[in-house]
Amino acid sequence: MKTIITGFGIALAAAGLATTAASADTLKTIRDRGKIICGTSTGVAGFSTQDANGRWQGFDIDICRALAVVLFNDTEKAAFVPLTSKDRLIALQAGEVDVLPRTTTWTLARNTGQGVTFTGVNYYDGQGFMVPKKLGVASASKLDGASICVAQGTTSELNLADYFRRTRMKYEVAAFGTAEDALKAYESGRCDAYTTDVSALSANLLKFRDPEEHVVLPEVISKEPLGPWVRSGDDSWFNLVRWTLFALINAEELGVTKANVRELAETSTNPEIRRFLGKDGKYGEGLGVNNDWAVRIIATIGNYGESFERNLGMSSPMKLQRGPNALWTQGGLQYSPPFR
């Protein structure tokens, strides 16, 4: 059963919990509780959805399950709380969730004014537009005078205003409380176009009866670096979440996969791999976890590339190219700091 925290409920929680949550020892709280609580979307294909049995899965979900493996050696020790765009950061600040891996853009205002901290980029995205094919529009530059559906509480609202101001075009905004409501309004013909991150537009196409009736325009009008968020003021938890993400990326860089990680942990003579997999040094202890923490992550989740391909890539219904999310050695932006 889905539990969606309302704005009113979160506001009450924030009033009483924000101060204590920010100073809490999150790692101890999670261990005492026996599970990690992750904030997720209410459903974005490829990133966070529930299967027929109600089990959460997706690219963002893999981050939470990786953390559950690190702390409990059990992917099922992760609980998920669906949150709307308006409520997600308030819920994190209030202590209702331990980490927010859902699609949330890293911005200056969010990182400095809301008591939350960004840990690292797991997906480089950008905002785009979707229009009905029958509209005959092939470029966002032809949307002068159009009505645009958008979700409230997202960076998409400001980006939309900036784009039309920059291009000196006129538009009519139709803002809705949730992304689902904005999409339904677009599908019903309330708006000429719908705008959000390009990855979400691709996910939304899968929901339509006839995806061929819609087209995603080629323009990308913003930078949207996405990744996990934590509360500010808890460096130990921040470091563990950040380096768990880097472990997924570093594994792909080193050629460590779900299939070979255990063998490499026992046989590799590569000093980088030996440090990464806990055979040399005590880097796990520095994070407050066992030294084989990376082994357990990769053996269960796979590396970054495996997670991407399974949830978003050409082997998935999303059919997304790696693009800027390819490794830096392959023309992309993904890059892990060294494990040393």
Side-chain angles (χ1 to χ4, degrees):
M1 178 179 178
K2 291 185 178 181
T3 303
I4 300 178
I5 298 179
T6 65
F8 176 71
I10 292 174
L12 291 177
L17 295 176
T19 300
T20 56
S23 59
D25 183 340
T26 306
L27 271 173
K28 183 179 185 304
T29 299
I30 293 170
R31 284 179 168 132
D32 290 346
R33 185 197 300 132
K35 64 180 177 181
I36 178 175
I37 300 176
C38 303
T40 186
S41 72
T42 54
V44 177
F47 289 90
S48 51
T49 57
Q50 288 178 288
D51 64 18
N53 297 317
R55 186 176 188 273
W56 285 93
Q57 59 188 359
F59 191 63
D60 291 338
I61 300 302
D62 279 354
I63 297 290
C64 273
R65 297 205 184 278
L67 288 164
V69 167
V70 172
L71 296 175
F72 302 108
N73 203 26
D74 185 351
T75 59
E76 299 310 307
K77 294 290 186 179
F80 299 94
V81 178
L83 298 165
T84 65
S85 296
K86 290 190 298 182
D87 296 336
R88 54 191 169 177
L89 293 175
I90 304 172
L92 176 61
Q93 183 186 38
E96 296 291 328
V97 298
D98 303 313
V99 60
L100 184 70
R102 62 152 290 171
T103 50
T104 303
T105 303
W106 185 14
T107 69
L108 174 62
R110 283 175 175 168
N111 216 150
T112 59
Q114 299 189 37
V116 294
T117 300
F118 189 78
T119 61
V121 180
N122 77 328
Y123 191 89
Y124 290 95
D125 210 343
Q127 187 171 331
F129 295 93
M130 176 191 294
V131 298
K133 188 173 289 185
K134 65 182 180 182
L135 201 63
V137 171
S139 168
S141 64
K142 304 299 182 182
L143 290 175
D144 192 14
S147 58
I148 315 290
C149 283
V150 65
Q152 295 174 336
T154 64
T155 56
S156 299
E157 287 184 284
L158 177 60
N159 293 336
L160 178 64
D162 285 350
Y163 176 73
F164 276 86
R165 186 179 301 115
R166 185 168 66 248
T167 57
R168 299 182 179 181
M169 295 191 298
K170 296 181 179 179
Y171 76 107
E172 174 190 339
V173 65
F176 296 85
T178 68
E180 290 78 7
D181 288 341
L183 183 64
K184 288 178 182 177
Y186 163 76
E187 193 174 12
S188 71
R190 166 68 178 79
C191 310
D192 299 312
Y194 173 59
T195 187
T196 188
D197 294 348
V198 173
S199 63
L201 292 178
S202 299
N204 289 331
L205 281 173
L206 302 178
K207 299 179 181 180
F208 294 150
R209 292 181 181 178
D210 189 355
E212 297 300 320
E213 292 182 356
H214 306 269
V215 60
V216 176
L217 300 180
E219 289 84 1
V220 177
I221 68 170
S222 72
K223 296 181 292 184
E224 306 296 326
L226 310 176
W229 291 77
V230 296
R231 285 182 295 281
S232 301
D234 189 338
D235 288 347
S236 294
W237 180 234
F238 167 82
N239 284 331
L240 184 57
V241 174
R242 165 176 271 193
W243 285 93
T244 293
L245 168 60
F246 289 152
L248 295 167
I249 298 170
N250 194 58
E252 185 181 11
E253 290 184 274
L254 293 175
V256 178
T257 68
K258 188 174 183 179
N260 68 18
V261 61
R262 300 236 180 242
E263 179 184 356
L264 288 174
E266 297 301 324
T267 64
S268 179
T269 58
N270 182 323
E272 289 184 88
I273 292 177
R274 289 184 61 81
R275 283 194 299 269
F276 176 56
L277 300 182
K279 291 302 179 177
D280 292 340
K282 297 182 178 180
Y283 299 100
E285 290 182 11
L287 292 171
V289 297
N290 294 335
N291 283 329
D292 71 342
W293 66 289
V295 174
R296 288 184 281 122
I297 290 174
I298 307 308
T300 308
I301 304 299
N303 63 36
Y304 178 89
E306 290 175 298
S307 176
F308 188 101
E309 185 62 22
R310 179 172 64 247
N311 295 297
L312 304 174
M314 301 308 291
S315 297
S316 77
M318 294 283 287
K319 306 295 183 189
L320 293 178
Q321 301 285 344
R322 286 287 291 266
N325 295 293
L327 295 180
W328 65 289
T329 52
Q330 299 171 8
L333 299 175
Q334 286 297 355
Y335 182 103
S336 169
F339 278 64
R340 62 172 183 261

